[in-house]
Amino acid sequence: MTTRGDDCSNWTEVRRRKKHTDARTLNEITYFVSNVPGDVNREEIRKEFLRFGKVSDVYFPGRKGKNGQFYLFIRFMDVVDKLALERQIDGTMHRGRKLSINLEKHPRETMASKIVHNRREHGAYKGNKTHNFRDTRTFAEVTCPRTKHQP
């Protein structure tokens, strides 16, 4: 891209790449696991649950839940029947402990849903034009006084 200089005619238009959705996240199911040993590590849990399917992520916050037990979240890919898998993995023994496994109650928000929620909260929706995050002008139109913006 060229620099602005004295005259505004040397701007180069740059097009953004299309955002693609990660197909992996569309087929993932997350389970809440409680009664986990406090010194467990992610790789240990991943190996334990690989026999049930493709484990895409293990999140262990390292703290106790309301019931006083350590917990973690485990995410499986390409699950055909989430309830059948839940029944299959519930009660898995790990280091002499019977793990309690349930579907997560509060699914993790995607980044797109957070953005929409944020904009609604700040008035970008509901026709409130004074609080929009951005108008339709390009950076060149804002910084170059000779370029006229036509709504």
PDB file of all heavy atoms in Angstrom, residues 52-84:
ATOM      1  N   PHE A  52     -13.294 -43.500  23.410  1.00  0.00           N
ATOM      2  CA  PHE A  52     -14.710 -43.205  23.174  1.00  0.00           C
ATOM      3  C   PHE A  52     -14.950 -42.373  21.917  1.00  0.00           C
ATOM      4  O   PHE A  52     -16.078 -42.221  21.482  1.00  0.00           O
ATOM      5  CB  PHE A  52     -15.304 -42.459  24.378  1.00  0.00           C
ATOM      6  CG  PHE A  52     -15.247 -43.256  25.649  1.00  0.00           C
ATOM      7  CD1 PHE A  52     -14.393 -42.883  26.669  1.00  0.00           C
ATOM      8  CD2 PHE A  52     -16.045 -44.374  25.823  1.00  0.00           C
ATOM      9  CE1 PHE A  52     -14.343 -43.603  27.850  1.00  0.00           C
ATOM     10  CE2 PHE A  52     -15.994 -45.108  26.991  1.00  0.00           C
ATOM     11  CZ  PHE A  52     -15.135 -44.725  28.011  1.00  0.00           C
ATOM     12  N   GLY A  53     -13.915 -41.783  21.364  1.00  0.00           N
ATOM     13  CA  GLY A  53     -14.068 -40.961  20.169  1.00  0.00           C
ATOM     14  C   GLY A  53     -12.934 -39.969  20.021  1.00  0.00           C
ATOM     15  O   GLY A  53     -11.948 -40.001  20.756  1.00  0.00           O
ATOM     16  N   LYS A  54     -13.092 -39.054  19.075  1.00  0.00           N
ATOM     17  CA  LYS A  54     -12.068 -38.042  18.792  1.00  0.00           C
ATOM     18  C   LYS A  54     -12.172 -36.917  19.823  1.00  0.00           C
ATOM     19  O   LYS A  54     -13.136 -36.154  19.838  1.00  0.00           O
ATOM     20  CB  LYS A  54     -12.268 -37.441  17.404  1.00  0.00           C
ATOM     21  CG  LYS A  54     -12.113 -38.408  16.273  1.00  0.00           C
ATOM     22  CD  LYS A  54     -12.348 -37.690  14.957  1.00  0.00           C
ATOM     23  CE  LYS A  54     -12.556 -38.648  13.829  1.00  0.00           C
ATOM     24  NZ  LYS A  54     -12.963 -37.950  12.608  1.00  0.00           N
ATOM     25  N   VAL A  55     -11.171 -36.800  20.667  1.00  0.00           N
ATOM     26  CA  VAL A  55     -11.125 -35.744  21.678  1.00  0.00           C
ATOM     27  C   VAL A  55     -10.446 -34.536  21.051  1.00  0.00           C
ATOM     28  O   VAL A  55      -9.294 -34.607  20.634  1.00  0.00           O
ATOM     29  CB  VAL A  55     -10.364 -36.202  22.935  1.00  0.00           C
ATOM     30  CG1 VAL A  55     -10.244 -35.068  23.943  1.00  0.00           C
ATOM     31  CG2 VAL A  55     -11.034 -37.412  23.551  1.00  0.00           C
ATOM     32  N   SER A  56     -11.174 -33.413  20.971  1.00  0.00           N
ATOM     33  CA  SER A  56     -10.585 -32.232  20.343  1.00  0.00           C
ATOM     34  C   SER A  56      -9.996 -31.262  21.358  1.00  0.00           C
ATOM     35  O   SER A  56      -9.094 -30.502  21.037  1.00  0.00           O
ATOM     36  CB  SER A  56     -11.614 -31.512  19.483  1.00  0.00           C
ATOM     37  OG  SER A  56     -12.674 -31.041  20.272  1.00  0.00           O
ATOM     38  N   ASP A  57     -10.505 -31.288  22.610  1.00  0.00           N
ATOM     39  CA  ASP A  57      -9.989 -30.333  23.598  1.00  0.00           C
ATOM     40  C   ASP A  57     -10.321 -30.813  25.001  1.00  0.00           C
ATOM     41  O   ASP A  57     -11.366 -31.431  25.230  1.00  0.00           O
ATOM     42  CB  ASP A  57     -10.613 -28.955  23.362  1.00  0.00           C
ATOM     43  CG  ASP A  57      -9.954 -27.866  24.193  1.00  0.00           C
ATOM     44  OD1 ASP A  57      -8.762 -27.998  24.540  1.00  0.00           O
ATOM     45  OD2 ASP A  57     -10.641 -26.879  24.508  1.00  0.00           O
ATOM     46  N   VAL A  58      -9.433 -30.523  25.925  1.00  0.00           N
ATOM     47  CA  VAL A  58      -9.667 -30.769  27.347  1.00  0.00           C
ATOM     48  C   VAL A  58      -9.329 -29.475  28.062  1.00  0.00           C
ATOM     49  O   VAL A  58      -8.237 -28.937  27.895  1.00  0.00           O
ATOM     50  CB  VAL A  58      -8.783 -31.916  27.890  1.00  0.00           C
ATOM     51  CG1 VAL A  58      -8.981 -32.079  29.387  1.00  0.00           C
ATOM     52  CG2 VAL A  58      -9.083 -33.207  27.165  1.00  0.00           C
ATOM     53  N   TYR A  59     -10.286 -28.959  28.854  1.00  0.00           N
ATOM     54  CA  TYR A  59     -10.049 -27.736  29.614  1.00  0.00           C
ATOM     55  C   TYR A  59     -10.157 -28.059  31.098  1.00  0.00           C
ATOM     56  O   TYR A  59     -11.206 -28.483  31.580  1.00  0.00           O
ATOM     57  CB  TYR A  59     -11.056 -26.653  29.230  1.00  0.00           C
ATOM     58  CG  TYR A  59     -10.932 -25.415  30.094  1.00  0.00           C
ATOM     59  CD1 TYR A  59      -9.796 -24.612  30.034  1.00  0.00           C
ATOM     60  CD2 TYR A  59     -11.937 -25.066  30.982  1.00  0.00           C
ATOM     61  CE1 TYR A  59      -9.670 -23.491  30.837  1.00  0.00           C
ATOM     62  CE2 TYR A  59     -11.824 -23.939  31.786  1.00  0.00           C
ATOM     63  CZ  TYR A  59     -10.687 -23.163  31.711  1.00  0.00           C
ATOM     64  OH  TYR A  59     -10.559 -22.057  32.502  1.00  0.00           O
ATOM     65  N   PHE A  60      -9.050 -27.905  31.813  1.00  0.00           N
ATOM     66  CA  PHE A  60      -9.005 -28.166  33.248  1.00  0.00           C
ATOM     67  C   PHE A  60      -8.634 -26.870  33.956  1.00  0.00           C
ATOM     68  O   PHE A  60      -7.478 -26.457  33.951  1.00  0.00           O
ATOM     69  CB  PHE A  60      -7.986 -29.260  33.549  1.00  0.00           C
ATOM     70  CG  PHE A  60      -7.865 -29.586  35.011  1.00  0.00           C
ATOM     71  CD1 PHE A  60      -8.964 -29.999  35.743  1.00  0.00           C
ATOM     72  CD2 PHE A  60      -6.644 -29.499  35.657  1.00  0.00           C
ATOM     73  CE1 PHE A  60      -8.856 -30.306  37.091  1.00  0.00           C
ATOM     74  CE2 PHE A  60      -6.520 -29.798  36.995  1.00  0.00           C
ATOM     75  CZ  PHE A  60      -7.625 -30.210  37.719  1.00  0.00           C
ATOM     76  N   PRO A  61      -9.625 -26.187  34.578  1.00  0.00           N
ATOM     77  CA  PRO A  61      -9.325 -24.910  35.225  1.00  0.00           C
ATOM     78  C   PRO A  61      -8.522 -25.042  36.507  1.00  0.00           C
ATOM     79  O   PRO A  61      -7.972 -24.054  36.983  1.00  0.00           O
ATOM     80  CB  PRO A  61     -10.708 -24.311  35.498  1.00  0.00           C
ATOM     81  CG  PRO A  61     -11.637 -25.460  35.512  1.00  0.00           C
ATOM     82  CD  PRO A  61     -11.050 -26.500  34.609  1.00  0.00           C
ATOM     83  N   GLY A  62      -8.466 -26.242  37.101  1.00  0.00           N
ATOM     84  CA  GLY A  62      -7.670 -26.442  38.310  1.00  0.00           C
ATOM     85  C   GLY A  62      -8.315 -25.897  39.568  1.00  0.00           C
ATOM     86  O   GLY A  62      -7.628 -25.610  40.541  1.00  0.00           O
ATOM     87  N   ARG A  63      -9.622 -25.769  39.564  1.00  0.00           N
ATOM     88  CA  ARG A  63     -10.304 -25.307  40.779  1.00  0.00           C
ATOM     89  C   ARG A  63     -11.524 -26.185  41.041  1.00  0.00           C
ATOM     90  O   ARG A  63     -11.957 -26.942  40.182  1.00  0.00           O
ATOM     91  CB  ARG A  63     -10.680 -23.852  40.701  1.00  0.00           C
ATOM     92  CG  ARG A  63     -11.376 -23.449  39.467  1.00  0.00           C
ATOM     93  CD  ARG A  63     -11.672 -21.952  39.486  1.00  0.00           C
ATOM     94  NE  ARG A  63     -12.498 -21.659  38.351  1.00  0.00           N
ATOM     95  CZ  ARG A  63     -12.170 -20.838  37.388  1.00  0.00           C
ATOM     96  NH1 ARG A  63     -11.046 -20.193  37.431  1.00  0.00           N
ATOM     97  NH2 ARG A  63     -12.970 -20.649  36.378  1.00  0.00           N
ATOM     98  N   LYS A  64     -12.068 -26.028  42.227  1.00  0.00           N
ATOM     99  CA  LYS A  64     -13.197 -26.852  42.636  1.00  0.00           C
ATOM    100  C   LYS A  64     -14.516 -26.181  42.291  1.00  0.00           C
ATOM    101  O   LYS A  64     -14.627 -24.961  42.300  1.00  0.00           O
ATOM    102  CB  LYS A  64     -13.133 -27.115  44.131  1.00  0.00           C
ATOM    103  CG  LYS A  64     -11.918 -27.927  44.532  1.00  0.00           C
ATOM    104  CD  LYS A  64     -11.882 -28.172  46.012  1.00  0.00           C
ATOM    105  CE  LYS A  64     -10.656 -28.983  46.373  1.00  0.00           C
ATOM    106  NZ  LYS A  64     -10.601 -29.265  47.813  1.00  0.00           N
ATOM    107  N   GLY A  65     -15.511 -27.015  42.032  1.00  0.00           N
ATOM    108  CA  GLY A  65     -16.851 -26.524  41.758  1.00  0.00           C
ATOM    109  C   GLY A  65     -17.631 -26.323  43.044  1.00  0.00           C
ATOM    110  O   GLY A  65     -17.094 -26.407  44.151  1.00  0.00           O
ATOM    111  N   LYS A  66     -18.933 -26.083  42.908  1.00  0.00           N
ATOM    112  CA  LYS A  66     -19.797 -25.857  44.069  1.00  0.00           C
ATOM    113  C   LYS A  66     -19.856 -27.052  45.014  1.00  0.00           C
ATOM    114  O   LYS A  66     -20.057 -26.900  46.211  1.00  0.00           O
ATOM    115  CB  LYS A  66     -21.210 -25.520  43.598  1.00  0.00           C
ATOM    116  CG  LYS A  66     -21.321 -24.189  42.921  1.00  0.00           C
ATOM    117  CD  LYS A  66     -22.740 -23.936  42.468  1.00  0.00           C
ATOM    118  CE  LYS A  66     -22.844 -22.599  41.777  1.00  0.00           C
ATOM    119  NZ  LYS A  66     -24.195 -22.327  41.292  1.00  0.00           N
ATOM    120  N   ASN A  67     -19.685 -28.250  44.445  1.00  0.00           N
ATOM    121  CA  ASN A  67     -19.751 -29.460  45.265  1.00  0.00           C
ATOM    122  C   ASN A  67     -18.420 -29.802  45.939  1.00  0.00           C
ATOM    123  O   ASN A  67     -18.303 -30.829  46.594  1.00  0.00           O
ATOM    124  CB  ASN A  67     -20.233 -30.636  44.417  1.00  0.00           C
ATOM    125  CG  ASN A  67     -19.306 -30.937  43.261  1.00  0.00           C
ATOM    126  OD1 ASN A  67     -18.289 -30.278  43.069  1.00  0.00           O
ATOM    127  ND2 ASN A  67     -19.675 -31.934  42.479  1.00  0.00           N
ATOM    128  N   GLY A  68     -17.402 -28.968  45.783  1.00  0.00           N
ATOM    129  CA  GLY A  68     -16.108 -29.180  46.421  1.00  0.00           C
ATOM    130  C   GLY A  68     -15.190 -30.126  45.674  1.00  0.00           C
ATOM    131  O   GLY A  68     -14.155 -30.521  46.194  1.00  0.00           O
ATOM    132  N   GLN A  69     -15.562 -30.516  44.469  1.00  0.00           N
ATOM    133  CA  GLN A  69     -14.750 -31.433  43.668  1.00  0.00           C
ATOM    134  C   GLN A  69     -14.138 -30.692  42.478  1.00  0.00           C
ATOM    135  O   GLN A  69     -14.738 -29.760  41.955  1.00  0.00           O
ATOM    136  CB  GLN A  69     -15.606 -32.581  43.136  1.00  0.00           C
ATOM    137  CG  GLN A  69     -16.250 -33.418  44.203  1.00  0.00           C
ATOM    138  CD  GLN A  69     -17.234 -34.420  43.622  1.00  0.00           C
ATOM    139  OE1 GLN A  69     -17.620 -34.339  42.463  1.00  0.00           O
ATOM    140  NE2 GLN A  69     -17.640 -35.371  44.446  1.00  0.00           N
ATOM    141  N   PHE A  70     -12.958 -31.152  42.060  1.00  0.00           N
ATOM    142  CA  PHE A  70     -12.350 -30.590  40.861  1.00  0.00           C
ATOM    143  C   PHE A  70     -13.163 -31.024  39.653  1.00  0.00           C
ATOM    144  O   PHE A  70     -13.783 -32.085  39.659  1.00  0.00           O
ATOM    145  CB  PHE A  70     -10.900 -31.056  40.712  1.00  0.00           C
ATOM    146  CG  PHE A  70      -9.954 -30.384  41.655  1.00  0.00           C
ATOM    147  CD1 PHE A  70      -9.588 -30.991  42.843  1.00  0.00           C
ATOM    148  CD2 PHE A  70      -9.427 -29.136  41.356  1.00  0.00           C
ATOM    149  CE1 PHE A  70      -8.716 -30.372  43.714  1.00  0.00           C
ATOM    150  CE2 PHE A  70      -8.564 -28.501  42.221  1.00  0.00           C
ATOM    151  CZ  PHE A  70      -8.210 -29.122  43.407  1.00  0.00           C
ATOM    152  N   TYR A  71     -13.144 -30.190  38.617  1.00  0.00           N
ATOM    153  CA  TYR A  71     -13.908 -30.491  37.406  1.00  0.00           C
ATOM    154  C   TYR A  71     -13.101 -30.121  36.177  1.00  0.00           C
ATOM    155  O   TYR A  71     -12.088 -29.435  36.267  1.00  0.00           O
ATOM    156  CB  TYR A  71     -15.248 -29.746  37.408  1.00  0.00           C
ATOM    157  CG  TYR A  71     -15.102 -28.246  37.334  1.00  0.00           C
ATOM    158  CD1 TYR A  71     -15.117 -27.590  36.116  1.00  0.00           C
ATOM    159  CD2 TYR A  71     -14.937 -27.477  38.483  1.00  0.00           C
ATOM    160  CE1 TYR A  71     -14.970 -26.212  36.040  1.00  0.00           C
ATOM    161  CE2 TYR A  71     -14.796 -26.109  38.423  1.00  0.00           C
ATOM    162  CZ  TYR A  71     -14.818 -25.485  37.195  1.00  0.00           C
ATOM    163  OH  TYR A  71     -14.662 -24.123  37.123  1.00  0.00           O
ATOM    164  N   LEU A  72     -13.584 -30.588  35.027  1.00  0.00           N
ATOM    165  CA  LEU A  72     -12.985 -30.210  33.750  1.00  0.00           C
ATOM    166  C   LEU A  72     -14.036 -30.331  32.666  1.00  0.00           C
ATOM    167  O   LEU A  72     -15.136 -30.835  32.894  1.00  0.00           O
ATOM    168  CB  LEU A  72     -11.749 -31.066  33.431  1.00  0.00           C
ATOM    169  CG  LEU A  72     -11.889 -32.587  33.308  1.00  0.00           C
ATOM    170  CD1 LEU A  72     -12.348 -33.005  31.925  1.00  0.00           C
ATOM    171  CD2 LEU A  72     -10.544 -33.229  33.592  1.00  0.00           C
ATOM    172  N   PHE A  73     -13.701 -29.812  31.494  1.00  0.00           N
ATOM    173  CA  PHE A  73     -14.557 -29.930  30.315  1.00  0.00           C
ATOM    174  C   PHE A  73     -13.786 -30.696  29.259  1.00  0.00           C
ATOM    175  O   PHE A  73     -12.600 -30.452  29.056  1.00  0.00           O
ATOM    176  CB  PHE A  73     -14.940 -28.553  29.763  1.00  0.00           C
ATOM    177  CG  PHE A  73     -15.832 -27.770  30.677  1.00  0.00           C
ATOM    178  CD1 PHE A  73     -15.288 -26.873  31.581  1.00  0.00           C
ATOM    179  CD2 PHE A  73     -17.205 -27.932  30.637  1.00  0.00           C
ATOM    180  CE1 PHE A  73     -16.100 -26.145  32.429  1.00  0.00           C
ATOM    181  CE2 PHE A  73     -18.027 -27.211  31.481  1.00  0.00           C
ATOM    182  CZ  PHE A  73     -17.473 -26.314  32.388  1.00  0.00           C
ATOM    183  N   ILE A  74     -14.482 -31.615  28.602  1.00  0.00           N
ATOM    184  CA  ILE A  74     -13.864 -32.377  27.532  1.00  0.00           C
ATOM    185  C   ILE A  74     -14.744 -32.261  26.293  1.00  0.00           C
ATOM    186  O   ILE A  74     -15.966 -32.330  26.385  1.00  0.00           O
ATOM    187  CB  ILE A  74     -13.631 -33.849  27.936  1.00  0.00           C
ATOM    188  CG1 ILE A  74     -12.823 -34.574  26.866  1.00  0.00           C
ATOM    189  CG2 ILE A  74     -14.935 -34.558  28.237  1.00  0.00           C
ATOM    190  CD1 ILE A  74     -12.222 -35.878  27.351  1.00  0.00           C
ATOM    191  N   ARG A  75     -14.120 -32.012  25.159  1.00  0.00           N
ATOM    192  CA  ARG A  75     -14.851 -31.773  23.908  1.00  0.00           C
ATOM    193  C   ARG A  75     -14.535 -32.884  22.911  1.00  0.00           C
ATOM    194  O   ARG A  75     -13.375 -33.197  22.669  1.00  0.00           O
ATOM    195  CB  ARG A  75     -14.445 -30.418  23.350  1.00  0.00           C
ATOM    196  CG  ARG A  75     -15.241 -30.014  22.142  1.00  0.00           C
ATOM    197  CD  ARG A  75     -14.997 -28.574  21.769  1.00  0.00           C
ATOM    198  NE  ARG A  75     -15.527 -27.723  22.810  1.00  0.00           N
ATOM    199  CZ  ARG A  75     -14.884 -26.676  23.329  1.00  0.00           C
ATOM    200  NH1 ARG A  75     -13.703 -26.342  22.899  1.00  0.00           N
ATOM    201  NH2 ARG A  75     -15.439 -25.954  24.255  1.00  0.00           N
ATOM    202  N   PHE A  76     -15.601 -33.470  22.359  1.00  0.00           N
ATOM    203  CA  PHE A  76     -15.481 -34.530  21.357  1.00  0.00           C
ATOM    204  C   PHE A  76     -15.907 -33.998  20.002  1.00  0.00           C
ATOM    205  O   PHE A  76     -16.851 -33.208  19.900  1.00  0.00           O
ATOM    206  CB  PHE A  76     -16.364 -35.727  21.713  1.00  0.00           C
ATOM    207  CG  PHE A  76     -15.861 -36.542  22.863  1.00  0.00           C
ATOM    208  CD1 PHE A  76     -16.260 -36.257  24.156  1.00  0.00           C
ATOM    209  CD2 PHE A  76     -14.993 -37.600  22.650  1.00  0.00           C
ATOM    210  CE1 PHE A  76     -15.808 -37.012  25.225  1.00  0.00           C
ATOM    211  CE2 PHE A  76     -14.533 -38.361  23.709  1.00  0.00           C
ATOM    212  CZ  PHE A  76     -14.941 -38.069  24.995  1.00  0.00           C
ATOM    213  N   MET A  77     -15.254 -34.499  18.954  1.00  0.00           N
ATOM    214  CA  MET A  77     -15.604 -34.133  17.574  1.00  0.00           C
ATOM    215  C   MET A  77     -16.415 -35.245  16.932  1.00  0.00           C
ATOM    216  O   MET A  77     -16.274 -36.414  17.289  1.00  0.00           O
ATOM    217  CB  MET A  77     -14.336 -33.924  16.741  1.00  0.00           C
ATOM    218  CG  MET A  77     -13.603 -32.667  17.064  1.00  0.00           C
ATOM    219  SD  MET A  77     -12.039 -32.487  16.182  1.00  0.00           S
ATOM    220  CE  MET A  77     -12.354 -33.123  14.593  1.00  0.00           C
ATOM    221  N   ASP A  78     -17.243 -34.860  15.959  1.00  0.00           N
ATOM    222  CA  ASP A  78     -17.991 -35.810  15.130  1.00  0.00           C
ATOM    223  C   ASP A  78     -18.819 -36.797  15.940  1.00  0.00           C
ATOM    224  O   ASP A  78     -18.809 -38.002  15.695  1.00  0.00           O
ATOM    225  CB  ASP A  78     -17.045 -36.577  14.192  1.00  0.00           C
ATOM    226  CG  ASP A  78     -16.244 -35.650  13.301  1.00  0.00           C
ATOM    227  OD1 ASP A  78     -16.787 -34.589  12.933  1.00  0.00           O
ATOM    228  OD2 ASP A  78     -15.094 -35.966  12.987  1.00  0.00           O
ATOM    229  N   VAL A  79     -19.561 -36.282  16.918  1.00  0.00           N
ATOM    230  CA  VAL A  79     -20.418 -37.116  17.748  1.00  0.00           C
ATOM    231  C   VAL A  79     -21.754 -37.296  17.035  1.00  0.00           C
ATOM    232  O   VAL A  79     -22.402 -36.318  16.674  1.00  0.00           O
ATOM    233  CB  VAL A  79     -20.635 -36.476  19.140  1.00  0.00           C
ATOM    234  CG1 VAL A  79     -21.604 -37.291  19.961  1.00  0.00           C
ATOM    235  CG2 VAL A  79     -19.312 -36.312  19.842  1.00  0.00           C
ATOM    236  N   VAL A  80     -22.169 -38.542  16.843  1.00  0.00           N
ATOM    237  CA  VAL A  80     -23.428 -38.829  16.163  1.00  0.00           C
ATOM    238  C   VAL A  80     -24.594 -38.703  17.129  1.00  0.00           C
ATOM    239  O   VAL A  80     -25.581 -38.033  16.851  1.00  0.00           O
ATOM    240  CB  VAL A  80     -23.399 -40.250  15.539  1.00  0.00           C
ATOM    241  CG1 VAL A  80     -24.727 -40.580  14.895  1.00  0.00           C
ATOM    242  CG2 VAL A  80     -22.273 -40.357  14.532  1.00  0.00           C
ATOM    243  N   ASP A  81     -24.483 -39.342  18.297  1.00  0.00           N
ATOM    244  CA  ASP A  81     -25.553 -39.300  19.299  1.00  0.00           C
ATOM    245  C   ASP A  81     -24.950 -38.855  20.630  1.00  0.00           C
ATOM    246  O   ASP A  81     -24.288 -39.638  21.323  1.00  0.00           O
ATOM    247  CB  ASP A  81     -26.195 -40.681  19.428  1.00  0.00           C
ATOM    248  CG  ASP A  81     -27.410 -40.692  20.347  1.00  0.00           C
ATOM    249  OD1 ASP A  81     -27.708 -39.657  20.968  1.00  0.00           O
ATOM    250  OD2 ASP A  81     -28.056 -41.761  20.431  1.00  0.00           O
ATOM    251  N   LYS A  82     -25.164 -37.595  20.991  1.00  0.00           N
ATOM    252  CA  LYS A  82     -24.516 -37.039  22.185  1.00  0.00           C
ATOM    253  C   LYS A  82     -25.011 -37.681  23.477  1.00  0.00           C
ATOM    254  O   LYS A  82     -24.256 -37.837  24.424  1.00  0.00           O
ATOM    255  CB  LYS A  82     -24.665 -35.522  22.225  1.00  0.00           C
ATOM    256  CG  LYS A  82     -26.079 -35.021  22.257  1.00  0.00           C
ATOM    257  CD  LYS A  82     -26.116 -33.510  22.171  1.00  0.00           C
ATOM    258  CE  LYS A  82     -27.547 -33.001  22.159  1.00  0.00           C
ATOM    259  NZ  LYS A  82     -27.591 -31.558  22.013  1.00  0.00           N
ATOM    260  N   LEU A  83     -26.281 -38.078  23.536  1.00  0.00           N
ATOM    261  CA  LEU A  83     -26.812 -38.708  24.746  1.00  0.00           C
ATOM    262  C   LEU A  83     -26.276 -40.130  24.912  1.00  0.00           C
ATOM    263  O   LEU A  83     -25.985 -40.565  26.028  1.00  0.00           O
ATOM    264  CB  LEU A  83     -28.338 -38.706  24.725  1.00  0.00           C
ATOM    265  CG  LEU A  83     -28.974 -37.308  24.785  1.00  0.00           C
ATOM    266  CD1 LEU A  83     -30.491 -37.407  24.662  1.00  0.00           C
ATOM    267  CD2 LEU A  83     -28.586 -36.595  26.056  1.00  0.00           C
ATOM    268  N   ALA A  84     -26.140 -40.841  23.806  1.00  0.00           N
ATOM    269  CA  ALA A  84     -25.580 -42.196  23.866  1.00  0.00           C
ATOM    270  C   ALA A  84     -24.124 -42.144  24.324  1.00  0.00           C
ATOM    271  O   ALA A  84     -23.695 -42.975  25.142  1.00  0.00           O
ATOM    272  CB  ALA A  84     -25.686 -42.873  22.507  1.00  0.00           C
TER     273      ALA A  84
END
